[in-house]
Amino acid sequence: MTATGARRRGRPGYDVDSLLAVAVAVFNERGYDGTSMEDLSQRLGIAKSAIYHHVAGKEELLRLSLDRALDGLFGVADRVRATDAPAVDRLELLVRGSVEVLQRELPHVTLLLRVRGNTEVERAALERRRSFDRFVAGLVRQAERDGDISPALSPTVTAHLLFGLVNSLVEWYRPGSRTTGASLADAVAALAFDGLRARGEPPARR
Amino acid sequence: MTATGARRRGRPGYDVDSLLAVAVAVFNERGYDGTSMEDLSQRLGIAKSAIYHHVAGKEELLRLSLDRALDGLFGVADRVRATDAPAVDRLELLVRGSVEVLQRELPHVTLLLRVRGNTEVERAALERRRSFDRFVAGLVRQAERDGDISPALSPTVTAHLLFGLVNSLVEWYRPGSRTTGASLADAVAALAFDGLRARGEPPARR
């Protein structure tokens, strides 16, 4: 779709989408603070003026990228909010949906998770992340009240662990990684909600 | 202990331990590559020559830090290897012990998890990490063969998820963080091995 988008303009070069894809890769390699417009210009193989044709500067590229990640996550949260199911099931939907967003928007989610709040755009993204985290903690709290998850931990710690697990995927997941059968969303949900330890009948001896 | 160590030399200033603590904090803030001996000298408030009195340079500080993290993790692995228990229980011991190392050596483990392999010292650390990961995957494989954990996923993916969960603690755990009762090691083990979802009797209505 990126290549098609580039061609749609009827001339060689980039559109915002394909430009963003390259910029985010450079941000993830060098860090956003460590990337200059000159670096982007070199990697893209076009003049800085050609970049400014599409965006106001590197902070706009950062904003577009962080919004891709956050809009994906909030899209899942909105679907979950509209669901009429016990909180524990909504929490599982949220986890599964977040894994899918992470797979689909991997470079953007990776960048989001590295944001430290040095610019206005980053601080706005962190505020949206905190709002998402509060939504998660609220579902955990409700699921504990329902007696559907163990109340041994504070909802905040449980929420941290759950999304720590989800977010850790950016460290090793690469498109095409084999997960042997089950989807990655299934794998994460199975670990988080049912645990690794097999239950029930003792296994047949092999 | 750091302050005592510093006093033990009978003069104001640093010993290797207290110098390392400051250096690692700076590495974690600015990145190892982005930290110069000049930066360390300024933060420590001592001349570069005074740093060289203790260590050969910043790469030695990096090595000392990464070894603190890795020696801790391999200490746990050695204890687990010496344990005569089913693989699933050894895996749980390894997870619990790793959480404790992470809590005890938080800045060093944080640095370890950010290493990308730009120097000889970093490549050696990455090789030790890979060896640790193989040990984890081996335990998972054995536990699957024993029928004690679900074989739905490849052992490598399960190992990634399990230690992704453990390692994600560096993103939010701070000494003194409240986990309401259960230790952090209990919390991680409960999530990973038993899952969040309550089992057995339906909850009493409230």
Side-chain angles (χ1 to χ4, degrees):
Chain A
M1 168 186 155
T2 296
T4 314
R7 269 199 296 277
R8 202 177 298 141
R9 292 192 154 252
R11 57 178 179 82
Y14 295 93
D15 63 0
V16 172
D17 268 6
S18 55
L19 196 140
L20 183 62
V22 176
V24 169
V26 181
F27 292 160
N28 280 328
E29 277 168 39
R30 307 176 58 100
Y32 174 72
D33 294 331
T35 304
S36 64
M37 284 296 281
E38 184 56 39
D39 295 327
L40 293 179
S41 155
Q42 280 181 18
R43 180 70 73 91
L44 290 156
I46 59 177
K48 279 192 269 182
S49 59
I51 305 179
Y52 288 120
H53 176 72
H54 295 288
V55 291
K58 73 168 191 160
E59 194 156 4
E60 185 177 348
L61 289 165
L62 178 67
R63 187 179 56 72
L64 289 169
S65 171
L66 299 179
D67 280 350
R68 275 275 279 273
L70 286 161
D71 291 349
L73 293 171
F74 276 90
V76 175
D78 288 344
R79 287 206 309 278
V80 165
R81 269 195 200 91
T83 305
D84 185 25
V88 67
D89 295 332
R90 280 183 285 151
L91 193 59
E92 182 171 338
L93 282 176
L94 189 68
V95 165
R96 288 173 173 276
S98 299
V99 171
E100 284 158 8
V101 168
L102 186 144
Q103 289 183 281
R104 197 170 63 235
E105 307 287 4
L106 185 61
H108 305 289
V109 176
T110 302
L111 189 62
L112 175 66
L113 295 176
R114 291 182 184 165
V115 153
R116 289 293 171 263
N118 296 332
T119 64
E120 201 51 53
V121 166
E122 291 172 85
R123 283 187 288 275
L126 285 179
E127 185 45 47
R128 287 187 80 190
R129 265 195 77 183
R130 276 190 290 271
S131 155
F132 186 85
D133 291 347
R134 283 191 295 271
F135 179 61
V136 177
L139 283 178
V140 171
R141 200 171 292 116
Q142 185 58 50
E144 286 187 3
R145 266 193 231 113
D146 297 343
D148 287 332
I149 71 179
S150 155
L153 297 167
S154 85
T156 313
V157 170
T158 301
H160 275 315
L161 288 177
L162 202 47
F163 273 79
L165 173 64
V166 172
N167 294 338
S168 73
L169 298 179
V170 302
E171 298 298 329
W172 64 268
Y173 171 75
R174 297 296 169 263
S177 290
R178 294 185 48 152
T179 51
T180 328
S183 77
L184 201 54
D186 288 339
V188 172
L191 175 65
F193 290 91
D194 299 323
L196 284 181
R197 206 181 292 268
R199 246 160 272 277
E201 303 296 308
R205 282 287 151 210
R206 271 166 272 188
Chain B
M1 169 186 154
T2 295
T4 314
R7 270 199 296 277
R8 203 177 298 141
R9 291 191 154 252
R11 58 178 181 81
Y14 294 93
D15 64 359
V16 172
D17 267 7
S18 55
L19 196 140
L20 183 61
V22 176
V24 169
V26 181
F27 292 160
N28 279 329
E29 277 169 40
R30 306 175 57 99
Y32 174 73
D33 293 330
T35 305
S36 65
M37 284 296 282
E38 185 56 37
D39 295 326
L40 293 179
S41 156
Q42 280 181 18
R43 181 69 72 91
L44 289 157
I46 59 177
K48 280 193 268 184
S49 60
I51 306 179
Y52 287 120
H53 176 73
H54 294 290
V55 291
K58 74 167 191 161
E59 194 156 2
E60 186 177 347
L61 288 165
L62 178 66
R63 187 178 55 73
L64 288 169
S65 171
L66 299 179
D67 281 350
R68 276 274 277 274
L70 287 162
D71 291 349
L73 293 171
F74 276 89
V76 175
D78 288 344
R79 286 207 309 279
V80 166
R81 269 195 200 91
T83 305
D84 186 24
V88 68
D89 295 331
R90 280 183 285 150
L91 192 60
E92 183 171 337
L93 282 175
L94 189 69
V95 165
R96 287 173 174 274
S98 299
V99 170
E100 284 157 11
V101 168
L102 186 143
Q103 289 183 283
R104 198 170 63 237
E105 308 286 5
L106 184 61
H108 305 289
V109 176
T110 302
L111 189 62
L112 174 66
L113 295 176
R114 291 180 184 167
V115 153
R116 288 294 172 261
N118 296 331
T119 64
E120 200 51 53
V121 165
E122 290 173 87
R123 283 187 290 274
L126 284 179
E127 184 46 46
R128 287 186 80 190
R129 265 195 78 181
R130 276 191 289 270
S131 155
F132 186 85
D133 290 348
R134 283 192 295 271
F135 179 60
V136 178
L139 282 178
V140 172
R141 200 171 291 116
Q142 184 59 48
E144 286 187 1
R145 267 193 230 111
D146 297 343
D148 288 332
I149 71 179
S150 155
L153 297 169
S154 85
T156 313
V157 170
T158 302
H160 275 315
L161 289 176
L162 202 47
F163 273 79
L165 173 64
V166 172
N167 294 338
S168 72
L169 298 179
V170 304
E171 297 299 329
W172 63 270
Y173 171 75
R174 296 296 168 264
S177 289
R178 294 184 48 151
T179 52
T180 329
S183 76
L184 200 54
D186 287 339
V188 172
L191 176 65
F193 290 91
D194 300 323
L196 284 181
R197 206 181 292 267
R199 246 160 272 277
E201 303 296 307
R205 282 286 153 214
R206 270 167 273 191

mmCIF file of all heavy atoms in Angstrom, chain A residues 62-87:
data_model
loop_
_atom_site.group_PDB
_atom_site.id
_atom_site.type_symbol
_atom_site.label_atom_id
_atom_site.label_comp_id
_atom_site.label_asym_id
_atom_site.label_seq_id
_atom_site.Cartn_x
_atom_site.Cartn_y
_atom_site.Cartn_z
ATOM 1 N N LEU A 62 6.968 12.643 14.068
ATOM 2 C CA LEU A 62 6.820 11.971 15.370
ATOM 3 C C LEU A 62 5.342 11.883 15.752
ATOM 4 O O LEU A 62 4.850 10.824 16.158
ATOM 5 C CB LEU A 62 7.604 12.748 16.435
ATOM 6 C CG LEU A 62 7.513 12.209 17.868
ATOM 7 C CD1 LEU A 62 8.182 10.850 17.998
ATOM 8 C CD2 LEU A 62 8.145 13.200 18.858
ATOM 9 N N ARG A 63 4.640 13.009 15.602
ATOM 10 C CA ARG A 63 3.229 13.034 15.983
ATOM 11 C C ARG A 63 2.413 12.050 15.153
ATOM 12 O O ARG A 63 1.580 11.301 15.681
ATOM 13 C CB ARG A 63 2.668 14.461 15.825
ATOM 14 C CG ARG A 63 1.252 14.646 16.345
ATOM 15 C CD ARG A 63 0.741 16.078 16.199
ATOM 16 N NE ARG A 63 0.795 16.566 14.822
ATOM 17 C CZ ARG A 63 -0.011 16.159 13.831
ATOM 18 N NH1 ARG A 63 -0.957 15.259 14.059
ATOM 19 N NH2 ARG A 63 0.130 16.652 12.618
ATOM 20 N N LEU A 64 2.661 12.033 13.831
ATOM 21 C CA LEU A 64 1.931 11.109 12.961
ATOM 22 C C LEU A 64 2.165 9.662 13.387
ATOM 23 O O LEU A 64 1.252 8.838 13.413
ATOM 24 C CB LEU A 64 2.372 11.303 11.502
ATOM 25 C CG LEU A 64 1.913 12.598 10.827
ATOM 26 C CD1 LEU A 64 2.627 12.788 9.488
ATOM 27 C CD2 LEU A 64 0.387 12.591 10.630
ATOM 28 N N SER A 65 3.417 9.360 13.744
ATOM 29 C CA SER A 65 3.754 7.993 14.130
ATOM 30 C C SER A 65 3.092 7.610 15.452
ATOM 31 O O SER A 65 2.453 6.556 15.570
ATOM 32 C CB SER A 65 5.275 7.863 14.250
ATOM 33 O OG SER A 65 5.610 6.612 14.811
ATOM 34 N N LEU A 66 3.219 8.490 16.452
ATOM 35 C CA LEU A 66 2.640 8.179 17.767
ATOM 36 C C LEU A 66 1.125 8.082 17.674
ATOM 37 O O LEU A 66 0.501 7.239 18.331
ATOM 38 C CB LEU A 66 3.073 9.231 18.797
ATOM 39 C CG LEU A 66 4.591 9.329 19.032
ATOM 40 C CD1 LEU A 66 4.919 10.414 20.051
ATOM 41 C CD2 LEU A 66 5.176 7.981 19.469
ATOM 42 N N ASP A 67 0.517 8.918 16.815
ATOM 43 C CA ASP A 67 -0.938 8.841 16.634
ATOM 44 C C ASP A 67 -1.352 7.520 15.990
ATOM 45 O O ASP A 67 -2.406 6.965 16.337
ATOM 46 C CB ASP A 67 -1.443 10.015 15.781
ATOM 47 C CG ASP A 67 -1.580 11.295 16.601
ATOM 48 O OD1 ASP A 67 -1.468 11.214 17.842
ATOM 49 O OD2 ASP A 67 -1.798 12.364 16.006
ATOM 50 N N ARG A 68 -0.533 7.017 15.076
ATOM 51 C CA ARG A 68 -0.851 5.717 14.459
ATOM 52 C C ARG A 68 -0.960 4.650 15.532
ATOM 53 O O ARG A 68 -1.892 3.829 15.552
ATOM 54 C CB ARG A 68 0.239 5.319 13.459
ATOM 55 C CG ARG A 68 0.069 5.901 12.094
ATOM 56 C CD ARG A 68 -0.856 5.041 11.235
ATOM 57 N NE ARG A 68 -0.154 3.910 10.657
ATOM 58 C CZ ARG A 68 0.512 3.975 9.502
ATOM 59 N NH1 ARG A 68 0.523 5.078 8.798
ATOM 60 N NH2 ARG A 68 1.149 2.926 9.046
ATOM 61 N N ALA A 69 0.014 4.649 16.452
ATOM 62 C CA ALA A 69 0.006 3.661 17.530
ATOM 63 C C ALA A 69 -1.168 3.901 18.469
ATOM 64 O O ALA A 69 -1.943 2.985 18.781
ATOM 65 C CB ALA A 69 1.327 3.720 18.288
ATOM 66 N N LEU A 70 -1.325 5.144 18.909
ATOM 67 C CA LEU A 70 -2.339 5.442 19.922
ATOM 68 C C LEU A 70 -3.754 5.321 19.368
ATOM 69 O O LEU A 70 -4.653 4.832 20.054
ATOM 70 C CB LEU A 70 -2.097 6.848 20.492
ATOM 71 C CG LEU A 70 -0.887 6.925 21.433
ATOM 72 C CD1 LEU A 70 -0.412 8.364 21.601
ATOM 73 C CD2 LEU A 70 -1.222 6.314 22.794
ATOM 74 N N ASP A 71 -3.970 5.770 18.115
ATOM 75 C CA ASP A 71 -5.301 5.631 17.522
ATOM 76 C C ASP A 71 -5.670 4.150 17.412
ATOM 77 O O ASP A 71 -6.829 3.769 17.629
ATOM 78 C CB ASP A 71 -5.351 6.287 16.138
ATOM 79 C CG ASP A 71 -5.251 7.813 16.224
ATOM 80 O OD1 ASP A 71 -5.351 8.349 17.354
ATOM 81 O OD2 ASP A 71 -5.058 8.462 15.177
ATOM 82 N N GLY A 72 -4.687 3.311 17.109
ATOM 83 C CA GLY A 72 -4.934 1.866 17.061
ATOM 84 C C GLY A 72 -5.385 1.346 18.421
ATOM 85 O O GLY A 72 -6.397 0.637 18.534
ATOM 86 N N LEU A 73 -4.647 1.721 19.466
ATOM 87 C CA LEU A 73 -4.975 1.230 20.814
ATOM 88 C C LEU A 73 -6.323 1.774 21.295
ATOM 89 O O LEU A 73 -7.125 1.047 21.883
ATOM 90 C CB LEU A 73 -3.866 1.610 21.799
ATOM 91 C CG LEU A 73 -2.528 0.900 21.551
ATOM 92 C CD1 LEU A 73 -1.423 1.500 22.437
ATOM 93 C CD2 LEU A 73 -2.657 -0.607 21.807
ATOM 94 N N PHE A 74 -6.591 3.056 21.029
ATOM 95 C CA PHE A 74 -7.872 3.622 21.468
ATOM 96 C C PHE A 74 -9.034 3.072 20.641
ATOM 97 O O PHE A 74 -10.164 2.988 21.128
ATOM 98 C CB PHE A 74 -7.829 5.155 21.455
ATOM 99 C CG PHE A 74 -7.218 5.703 22.711
ATOM 100 C CD1 PHE A 74 -5.859 5.924 22.800
ATOM 101 C CD2 PHE A 74 -8.017 5.956 23.823
ATOM 102 C CE1 PHE A 74 -5.280 6.405 23.978
ATOM 103 C CE2 PHE A 74 -7.451 6.431 25.005
ATOM 104 C CZ PHE A 74 -6.078 6.661 25.079
ATOM 105 N N GLY A 75 -8.763 2.689 19.391
ATOM 106 C CA GLY A 75 -9.791 2.016 18.594
ATOM 107 C C GLY A 75 -10.216 0.714 19.270
ATOM 108 O O GLY A 75 -11.410 0.405 19.365
ATOM 109 N N VAL A 76 -9.237 -0.032 19.770
ATOM 110 C CA VAL A 76 -9.548 -1.269 20.497
ATOM 111 C C VAL A 76 -10.329 -0.950 21.771
ATOM 112 O O VAL A 76 -11.341 -1.590 22.081
ATOM 113 C CB VAL A 76 -8.253 -2.041 20.848
ATOM 114 C CG1 VAL A 76 -8.576 -3.250 21.710
ATOM 115 C CG2 VAL A 76 -7.520 -2.464 19.584
ATOM 116 N N ALA A 77 -9.868 0.073 22.502
ATOM 117 C CA ALA A 77 -10.545 0.441 23.752
ATOM 118 C C ALA A 77 -12.008 0.822 23.486
ATOM 119 O O ALA A 77 -12.905 0.446 24.245
ATOM 120 C CB ALA A 77 -9.803 1.588 24.435
ATOM 121 N N ASP A 78 -12.246 1.538 22.385
ATOM 122 C CA ASP A 78 -13.622 1.925 22.050
ATOM 123 C C ASP A 78 -14.482 0.701 21.755
ATOM 124 O O ASP A 78 -15.627 0.614 22.198
ATOM 125 C CB ASP A 78 -13.628 2.876 20.833
ATOM 126 C CG ASP A 78 -13.101 4.262 21.200
ATOM 127 O OD1 ASP A 78 -13.034 4.568 22.417
ATOM 128 O OD2 ASP A 78 -12.751 5.024 20.279
ATOM 129 N N ARG A 79 -13.920 -0.247 21.009
ATOM 130 C CA ARG A 79 -14.675 -1.483 20.730
ATOM 131 C C ARG A 79 -14.979 -2.227 22.024
ATOM 132 O O ARG A 79 -16.076 -2.760 22.212
ATOM 133 C CB ARG A 79 -13.883 -2.405 19.785
ATOM 134 C CG ARG A 79 -13.825 -1.929 18.346
ATOM 135 C CD ARG A 79 -13.627 -3.094 17.350
ATOM 136 N NE ARG A 79 -12.525 -3.980 17.690
ATOM 137 C CZ ARG A 79 -11.251 -3.739 17.400
ATOM 138 N NH1 ARG A 79 -10.904 -2.636 16.764
ATOM 139 N NH2 ARG A 79 -10.312 -4.597 17.723
ATOM 140 N N VAL A 80 -13.988 -2.258 22.930
ATOM 141 C CA VAL A 80 -14.167 -2.963 24.201
ATOM 142 C C VAL A 80 -15.246 -2.286 25.034
ATOM 143 O O VAL A 80 -16.095 -2.941 25.644
ATOM 144 C CB VAL A 80 -12.829 -3.042 24.957
ATOM 145 C CG1 VAL A 80 -13.034 -3.433 26.412
ATOM 146 C CG2 VAL A 80 -11.883 -4.016 24.252
ATOM 147 N N ARG A 81 -15.233 -0.946 25.060
ATOM 148 C CA ARG A 81 -16.237 -0.192 25.817
ATOM 149 C C ARG A 81 -17.649 -0.491 25.327
ATOM 150 O O ARG A 81 -18.598 -0.490 26.084
ATOM 151 C CB ARG A 81 -15.990 1.320 25.667
ATOM 152 C CG ARG A 81 -15.101 1.892 26.739
ATOM 153 C CD ARG A 81 -15.181 3.406 26.779
ATOM 154 N NE ARG A 81 -13.990 3.910 27.456
ATOM 155 C CZ ARG A 81 -12.859 4.251 26.841
ATOM 156 N NH1 ARG A 81 -12.764 4.177 25.531
ATOM 157 N NH2 ARG A 81 -11.825 4.672 27.543
ATOM 158 N N ALA A 82 -17.756 -0.725 24.010
ATOM 159 C CA ALA A 82 -19.080 -0.960 23.426
ATOM 160 C C ALA A 82 -19.547 -2.400 23.629
ATOM 161 O O ALA A 82 -20.659 -2.751 23.224
ATOM 162 C CB ALA A 82 -19.038 -0.635 21.934
ATOM 163 N N THR A 83 -18.707 -3.229 24.257
ATOM 164 C CA THR A 83 -19.032 -4.646 24.418
ATOM 165 C C THR A 83 -19.760 -4.879 25.729
ATOM 166 O O THR A 83 -19.370 -4.346 26.761
ATOM 167 C CB THR A 83 -17.736 -5.487 24.426
ATOM 168 O OG1 THR A 83 -17.007 -5.192 23.243
ATOM 169 C CG2 THR A 83 -18.033 -6.972 24.487
ATOM 170 N N ASP A 84 -20.795 -5.675 25.659
ATOM 171 C CA ASP A 84 -21.570 -5.982 26.872
ATOM 172 C C ASP A 84 -21.131 -7.365 27.359
ATOM 173 O O ASP A 84 -21.739 -8.365 27.034
ATOM 174 C CB ASP A 84 -23.059 -5.969 26.522
ATOM 175 C CG ASP A 84 -23.908 -6.163 27.759
ATOM 176 O OD1 ASP A 84 -23.411 -5.837 28.855
ATOM 177 O OD2 ASP A 84 -25.042 -6.661 27.617
ATOM 178 N N ALA A 85 -20.047 -7.402 28.131
ATOM 179 C CA ALA A 85 -19.515 -8.679 28.623
ATOM 180 C C ALA A 85 -18.883 -8.406 29.982
ATOM 181 O O ALA A 85 -18.598 -7.254 30.311
ATOM 182 C CB ALA A 85 -18.478 -9.225 27.646
ATOM 183 N N PRO A 86 -18.664 -9.464 30.779
ATOM 184 C CA PRO A 86 -17.995 -9.249 32.069
ATOM 185 C C PRO A 86 -16.633 -8.591 31.870
ATOM 186 O O PRO A 86 -15.993 -8.762 30.821
ATOM 187 C CB PRO A 86 -17.837 -10.672 32.622
ATOM 188 C CG PRO A 86 -18.854 -11.490 31.908
ATOM 189 C CD PRO A 86 -19.012 -10.865 30.550
ATOM 190 N N ALA A 87 -16.192 -7.861 32.900
ATOM 191 C CA ALA A 87 -14.945 -7.094 32.784
ATOM 192 C C ALA A 87 -13.762 -7.984 32.418
ATOM 193 O O ALA A 87 -12.882 -7.577 31.647
ATOM 194 C CB ALA A 87 -14.677 -6.354 34.093
#
